[in-house]
Amino acid sequence: MNLMTGLPARPQAVIFDMDGLMLDSERALLGCLEQTARAHGYEVPRALLLSLVGSADAVTRRRLGDALGVERTDALLADSYARYDGIVEAGVPLRPGILELLKLLDAHQVPRAVATATRTPLAQRKLEAAGLLAYFQAVATSTEVAHSKPAPDIYLLAAARLGVAPQHCLALEDSPTGVRAALAAGMTTIQIPDLLEPDDDVRALGHRITGSLHDVHQMLQPWLG
C-alpha cells in the first residue's frame, strides 16, 4: 500500500482502541496470566491466551472457564488482575508512535475518542496513568453497551459522543476482534497488529493493515497539511 494515498479522505474524527494499540497492555496482561498459572502449578496454552486478545472480560471468563473450569478460572483471574493492577498504577508502557500521532491530531483539531472492550473504571485508570486521557474528548467502554466487540456498539457510541457520523471516522485497531467491530460500524479501519498477525480470513475483510502507528502518522499527514 502506498502510504501517501492510503486514505480516501480526511477523517472528521479518529477513534482509537486502547489495549495493544495505544498501550502495551495485552502483552502485560497475558504475562500476568502466565505467571499466575505457573504459581498455581499449571500452564495455560499459549493459543488459548492469544484467543483472549481484544476480548471483553465476560468472554475471557467464558473461554478460560470452558478450558480450566470455573473455580480455577476465578482464582486465576483474581490473582492475575491483582498483579496487573500494579502495572496499571505504574503506567502501562506506550506503543511506539502513539504520542506523536495524538499530538498531530491535536494540533489539527481532529476530534478523538477511545473505543475499548475494557470496563470503564479500569479504562479510565489506565489512560490516566499512561498520560493519555487528556488527549481524548470521549471514552466509550464495554460497560456502557449491550454488546462488546466484535459487535459495533462501542464504536458507534464513541462516534455519537464526538458528534461525527461513523462513515466519516477513522478507526485504529490491533486485534481481529476490534477490526470486525470497527468495520461493522461502517468506519474506515486501519489495523496495526500487535500480538496477533492477521490471517487470511482477517485480510479478506478488505481493511488497511500497516506495521506501526508511525505509518498511520504518514498516511494522515497529506490530509492534515
Side-chain angles (χ1 to χ4, degrees):
M1 179 179 63
N2 184 335
L3 294 178
M4 301 306 286
T5 59
L7 290 176
R10 185 188 195 275
Q12 294 181 19
V14 181
I15 303 182
F16 292 73
D17 176 48
M18 183 177 69
D19 296 299
L21 187 280
M22 296 194 290
L23 304 179
D24 200 6
S25 44
E26 301 281 18
R27 192 171 282 101
L29 180 54
L30 294 194
C32 289
L33 288 167
E34 286 181 318
Q35 292 165 23
T36 302
R38 290 190 190 118
H40 287 210
Y42 60 91
E43 296 280 338
V44 179
R46 185 68 178 173
L48 174 57
L49 289 172
L50 290 175
S51 77
L52 307 177
V53 171
S55 298
D57 183 65
V59 175
T60 294
R61 286 184 179 277
R62 185 179 73 246
R63 289 181 181 167
L64 288 174
D66 289 345
L68 306 175
V70 174
E71 185 175 339
R72 181 177 274 187
T73 294
D74 287 346
L76 172 64
L77 289 179
D79 289 355
S80 297
Y81 288 165
R83 287 176 187 252
Y84 187 56
D85 278 346
I87 296 173
V88 170
E89 292 304 320
V92 178
L94 301 180
R95 297 289 294 157
I98 184 59
L99 278 179
E100 294 89 341
L101 179 56
L102 288 171
K103 288 176 180 178
L104 174 71
L105 295 171
D106 185 55
H108 291 275
Q109 299 182 324
V110 179
R112 303 164 299 281
V114 177
T116 176
T118 298
R119 292 164 288 115
T120 297
L122 181 57
Q124 295 278 350
R125 283 173 50 215
K126 288 163 83 168
L127 291 167
E128 188 165 12
L132 298 183
L133 187 59
Y135 284 99
F136 295 97
Q137 288 78 48
V139 177
T141 77
S142 61
T143 309
E144 304 172 285
V145 296
H147 305 287
S148 190
K149 302 174 184 180
D153 302 33
I154 298 174
Y155 273 101
L156 294 174
L157 178 60
R161 285 183 171 166
L162 292 179
V164 178
Q167 64 266 31
H168 298 308
C169 294
L170 171 65
L172 303 179
E173 269 285 355
D174 67 295
S175 73
T177 299
V179 165
R180 287 186 168 91
L183 290 172
M187 298 183 181
T188 299
T189 304
I190 302 176
Q191 184 178 10
I192 305 93
D194 180 26
L195 292 175
L196 289 177
E197 284 299 319
D199 59 18
D200 289 343
D201 288 343
V202 174
R203 291 181 181 277
L205 296 173
H207 61 294
R208 293 156 179 79
I209 302 171
T210 192
S212 75
L213 291 169
H214 296 295
D215 291 343
V216 178
H217 190 287
Q218 291 183 52
M219 294 165 72
L220 283 165
Q221 277 187 321
W223 294 105
L224 299 181

